[in-house]
Amino acid sequence: MKRAALTLLVILFANGAFAQERKADSLLKLISHADDKQKASLYNDLAAFYRQSEPSKNIEYSLKALEFAQRVKDRSQEGLAYSNLGFAWYIKGDYDKSTDYTGKAIEIGKEITDKKLLGACYNTLALLNQNQGNMNKSLDNFLLALQNREAAG
C-alpha cells in the first residue's frame, strides 16, 4: 500500500513538473515572435516563473527583461525586472546586490506610483533586514509592503 502511494506521488510530481516546464517553453516560444515591449513583459514572466526554484534563471531572464524594458522605455517592466533581480540575489545570499536592485525598483515604483511593485520591493527589503538581524527595520518594511499591497488592491 505504501509503495503504491509513493508511486502515485512520484507520478503526480513528475506530471506537475512537466506541466511547469511546458509553461516556460510556451513563454519562450512567444518571445521568438514578440516585439521588444512584449519581450520585456514575457522575460519578466519567465523570471517570475523561476523566482524561487532557480534564482540563476531568474537573473538571466530578468537581465533580458531589463534590456528590452530600457530599450522601449517601459518603466513598469524595468521596475519589475529590478525587483526580480533583487529577489533573486536575496535567494542567492548576495544581500548587497539584492539591496541595490531592490532600491532601483523602489525608485521606479515611486516614480510611476506602482503600489504592487512597491509592496514586493518592501517585502524583499524586510526579508533582507530580517536575515541581517535588524528586526525593527524588517517590521517597518513588512508594514510598508502590506500597506502598498492593500493599496494596490
Side-chain angles (χ1 to χ4, degrees):
M1 181 68 170
K2 288 183 181 180
R3 179 177 255 166
L6 181 60
T7 302
L8 180 61
L9 284 174
V10 169
I11 290 170
L12 290 174
F13 178 74
N15 282 340
F18 180 70
Q20 293 294 325
E21 283 303 312
R22 284 184 28 209
K23 179 179 178 182
D25 289 342
S26 295
L27 289 170
L28 285 168
K29 285 179 186 173
L30 288 172
I31 287 170
S32 66
H33 302 292
D35 63 30
D36 286 354
K37 185 170 181 64
Q38 293 167 328
K39 285 180 182 178
S41 177
L42 291 167
Y43 277 124
N44 270 324
D45 289 345
L46 272 168
F49 178 79
Y50 290 111
R51 186 170 170 87
Q52 297 209 11
S53 63
E54 295 184 55
S56 293
K57 283 190 177 182
N58 179 341
I59 291 166
E60 174 188 348
Y61 293 128
S62 294
L63 288 171
K64 289 181 181 183
L66 183 60
E67 174 189 340
F68 286 104
Q70 288 174 336
R71 185 180 301 166
V72 298
K73 298 177 180 16
D74 185 332
R75 296 294 277 166
S76 178
Q77 291 300 318
E78 183 179 354
L80 184 55
Y82 280 131
S83 177
N84 287 334
L85 285 163
F87 189 79
W89 284 112
Y90 161 74
I91 293 292
K92 289 180 78 77
D94 191 327
Y95 295 166
D96 289 336
K97 283 186 180 178
S98 179
T99 301
D100 182 51
Y101 283 119
T102 303
K104 291 177 181 180
I106 288 173
E107 287 176 25
I108 292 171
K110 288 178 178 179
E111 174 191 319
I112 63 174
T113 318
D114 186 333
K115 299 292 187 180
K116 183 177 177 183
L117 174 62
L118 288 168
C121 292
Y122 286 120
N123 192 72
T124 299
L125 284 182
L127 293 169
L128 285 163
N129 298 143
Q130 184 178 33
N131 284 348
Q132 294 170 327
N134 192 341
M135 297 306 163
N136 289 333
K137 197 167 183 177
S138 177
L139 180 58
D140 291 343
N141 281 316
F142 275 130
L143 290 173
L144 283 171
L146 178 62
Q147 290 168 355
N148 278 283
R149 288 185 176 184
E150 285 178 342

